[in-house]
Amino acid sequence: MRNGIIVDSACDVDKKYIEDENCIIAFVPLTLQVEDKVFTDDENLCIDEYLAHMEASSLGVKTSAPSPGSFLERFGLADNIFVVTLSNKLSATYQSAVTAKRMYMEEYSKKFIHIFDSLSASVGEGVIALKIAELLKNGIPNANVVDQVNQFMKGMRTYFILDKYDNLIKTGRINPYIAKIASFLNVKPICADDQKGEIKLLDKARGYTKSMKRLVEIIKANTPDIETRIISIAHVKCLEKALALKDELLKHLTVKDIMIQECRGLTTTYANRGGLVVAV
């Protein structure tokens, strides 16, 4: 039987780490709108073009969750379906997936479909997808996969270090005066999900070097089983910073693996150019 992992486009994960002959991953795109130009956050999205439009606009980006129909189209890809969505506190994507499952089961009934609300975003969703794939490849039964992934998520955190605040200002998610002072003083806030689906400020430091060191300290203090975990780093056009963070992590931590990838459109919208997202 073939397994399928369906994620929305807020999920930053490379297909090559998941797909094999028995498991496929499919992305359901969100829609991003800059003024009157609409972008579909799929594999055809040019991040450079999207960033140029976003940075040139004085208005915030409008994002739209995928419809239930977008999930329905992908439920037929495999015999067993595991869905991972953006936090329900940040988007209506989870509800769209739930509605799609109900519609599908009413018509076909005999299909295993489980939906995980990641309570996170970006590589937070990504490491959950990786965990699902790992368990499936080890032949773990569906019900046990659900239990083990739920347990895994309890110890998972997603962290952010931002360089710019442009779209957060435009969308009213941060006070422009505070953002201006932070930029002037080169203060880099370290944010994280609160494990309830929302984002909070954990700490702040002057400059990327100090903020990276502080983030490593936070990860070490809050991840007792770090040796068993994969750390995933996503970046918005700042590969050198991502590599520097990887080096800093490896100086102080023993981990299963560290993966680096570029952010897709949705994460780029809020992390902005120079932003880093880390999940463990």
Side-chain angles (χ1 to χ4, degrees):
M1 297 183 75
R2 199 175 196 198
N3 300 304
I5 299 173
I6 298 174
V7 295
D8 56 54
S9 64
C11 176
D12 293 311
V13 67
D14 195 316
K15 284 186 174 184
K16 68 182 180 183
Y17 296 119
I18 290 177
E19 287 198 327
D20 63 23
E21 60 183 6
N22 296 314
C23 187
I24 187 171
I25 182 170
F27 289 81
V28 177
L30 280 84
T31 301
L32 316 170
Q33 183 174 349
V34 183
E35 296 184 359
D36 60 350
K37 187 168 181 60
V38 177
F39 297 85
T40 300
D41 190 13
D42 60 14
E43 64 277 3
N44 297 314
L45 176 66
C46 174
I47 295 296
D48 288 314
E49 179 189 353
Y50 174 61
L51 267 172
H53 277 82
M54 189 175 82
E55 292 171 344
S57 175
S58 61
L59 302 177
V61 177
K62 296 179 181 178
T63 62
S64 299
S67 67
S70 298
F71 285 97
L72 273 172
E73 290 174 3
R74 290 159 177 81
F75 284 168
L77 292 175
D79 303 294
N80 304 307
I81 297 290
F82 297 85
V83 183
V84 183
T85 74
L86 183 60
S87 167
N88 78 89
K89 300 289 182 64
L90 302 175
S91 169
T93 303
Y94 173 75
Q95 191 54 53
S96 286
V98 170
T99 300
K101 176 182 176 179
R102 183 173 63 250
M103 294 167 65
Y104 191 95
M105 299 302 281
E106 285 175 355
E107 183 168 356
Y108 300 104
S109 70
K110 293 183 179 180
K111 166 88 76 170
F112 177 87
I113 301 174
H114 185 82
I115 302 168
F116 293 99
D117 177 356
S118 73
L119 300 177
S120 185
S122 185
V123 282
E125 291 180 65
V127 295
I128 294 170
L130 288 168
K131 184 65 176 180
I132 295 169
E134 175 191 345
L135 294 171
L136 291 173
K137 288 174 183 177
N138 288 334
I140 305 299
N142 292 337
N144 290 347
V145 169
V146 172
D147 291 341
Q148 291 188 42
V149 171
N150 282 331
Q151 189 62 36
F152 171 82
M153 287 170 59
K154 290 179 182 178
M156 187 198 80
R157 298 297 298 274
T158 306
Y159 303 92
F160 310 81
I161 301 179
L162 304 182
D163 189 42
K164 294 183 178 182
Y165 312 88
D166 300 19
N167 209 44
L168 294 174
I169 294 171
K170 294 172 188 175
T171 55
R173 292 173 184 259
I174 189 172
N175 185 304
Y177 176 75
I178 293 174
K180 185 175 182 179
I181 294 297
S183 296
F184 179 75
L185 296 175
N186 195 27
V187 172
K188 306 301 178 189
I190 301 170
C191 302
D193 65 81
D194 63 359
Q195 297 182 301
K196 296 179 181 178
E198 297 183 335
I199 299 170
K200 67 176 183 179
L201 176 66
L202 285 185
D203 207 340
K204 52 188 178 295
R206 294 284 291 273
Y208 258 104
T209 300
K210 290 183 179 179
S211 63
M212 287 180 186
K213 290 181 182 295
R214 181 63 185 127
L215 176 56
V216 172
E217 292 173 355
I218 291 170
I219 291 174
K220 185 175 183 178
N222 289 278
T223 319
D225 60 343
I226 188 70
E227 297 87 356
T228 68
R229 288 181 174 262
I230 293 172
I231 296 180
S232 187
I233 303 170
H235 67 92
V236 183
K237 299 298 177 180
C238 58
L239 178 58
E240 289 186 2
K241 290 177 183 175
L243 290 169
L245 177 56
K246 178 179 179 179
D247 289 343
E248 188 66 24
L249 286 162
L250 291 174
K251 284 180 187 176
H252 303 281
L253 302 173
T254 299
V255 298
K256 191 172 182 179
D257 196 4
I258 297 180
M259 299 176 178
I260 296 177
Q261 54 222 330
E262 191 169 346
C263 293
R264 297 170 69 93
L266 194 284
T267 307
T268 296
T269 302
Y270 294 105
N272 290 283
R273 190 186 298 273
L276 291 174
V277 189
V278 183
V280 57

